[in-house]
Amino acid sequence: DGQIGLLIALADRGDPAARDEVLAILNSTRDEGVKTAAIAAIGALANPADVQLLIKLVATGAPAEKAAARASLTTCSNDEAVKSIRAELIHAPAPVRVALIEILVMRRALEVLPDLLQATADDDGTVRSAAMSGLGQLAGAEEIPGMVQGVLRATPGSERQAAERSLLVVCNRVMNTDEQAEPLLDAMTSLSDVDQQAILPTLGRAG
């Protein structure tokens, strides 16, 4: 398709002047392939004003549009992208928060670690799980106390088991194998007796 080829070329050039043309194509076409190519081009052009558009498409777009918008937000080089996504974590619906957390983790955005720790206390289990999974990929020893709280907040069963696995991944990042359990031991000192008993199985698996 000629329009798809044009959009790929515009994205490759990265010329901000092409933004209006890309948006016009996105708003006028009904072709799914053209739409997804336009969304990819928007991400490549990295205009700050379009980050919100991509977030909206993640929330309300058709499946192919959501996937393209997620990919664009993951690779978008605009400095405002992470800031805008973090702001949406405060009030977006749970499924959107999950998607945005996954995007931030894919971006390896270490500045969002406080947001992920906060999300482990979310009322929605899917958000808590996404946050703990993200922490498992990004966190260091300094986040272990907050992750312990995340394990304790997780619903017993599959959610807690997944949270424990993420916590153990972070513990295993400690360079000296003999010391892998130390951050977890330190985090336990401030817990109640009941919470210490709850976290003991995780401690045992940490070595």
Side-chain angles (χ1 to χ4, degrees):
D1 186 286
Q3 282 189 312
I4 292 176
L6 171 63
L7 289 164
I8 292 172
L10 292 174
D12 288 343
R13 281 169 44 197
D15 182 359
R19 173 179 177 264
D20 289 347
E21 185 174 1
V22 172
L23 288 175
I25 293 172
L26 175 63
N27 291 327
S28 64
T29 186
R30 294 181 179 272
D31 185 281
E32 184 177 273
V34 175
K35 275 187 176 291
T36 56
I39 293 166
I42 289 170
L45 296 176
N47 188 298
D50 296 327
V51 173
Q52 288 298 326
L53 170 60
L54 293 172
I55 292 172
K56 181 179 179 181
L57 286 168
V58 168
T60 63
E65 294 170 3
K66 288 183 178 182
R70 284 177 61 130
S72 283
L73 285 170
T74 300
T75 58
C76 175
S77 61
N78 187 271
D79 292 339
E80 293 296 312
V82 170
K83 181 179 178 181
S84 296
I85 295 171
R86 291 178 73 183
E88 289 296 319
L89 289 177
I90 298 171
H91 54 76
V96 180
R97 293 204 302 280
V98 170
L100 296 179
I101 286 171
E102 292 170 350
I103 290 165
L104 290 168
V105 173
M106 288 291 292
R107 290 181 67 96
R108 311 294 297 179
L110 296 180
E111 63 267 42
V112 308
L113 286 170
D115 304 274
L116 297 183
L117 288 170
Q118 182 175 345
T120 65
D122 198 273
D123 291 337
D124 188 278
T126 61
V127 175
R128 294 194 302 268
S129 294
M132 286 297 290
S133 175
L135 287 164
Q137 297 176 62
L138 300 182
E142 58 272 23
E143 280 75 45
I144 285 177
M147 292 187 72
V148 167
Q149 293 298 323
V151 170
L152 294 171
R153 295 183 191 108
T155 303
S158 60
E159 182 189 343
R160 179 164 291 186
Q161 291 167 4
E164 289 177 341
R165 287 194 295 270
S166 292
L167 175 57
L168 290 172
V169 166
V170 178
C171 290
N172 290 336
R173 289 202 187 111
V174 177
M175 294 300 291
N176 187 334
T177 304
D178 294 335
E179 298 175 353
Q180 285 179 348
E182 286 192 6
L184 188 51
L185 282 167
D186 292 342
M188 288 181 65
T189 59
S190 62
L191 299 179
S192 69
D193 290 343
V194 171
D195 286 345
Q196 286 186 5
Q197 289 297 317
I199 209 72
L200 274 176
T202 308
L203 177 62
R205 288 191 288 276

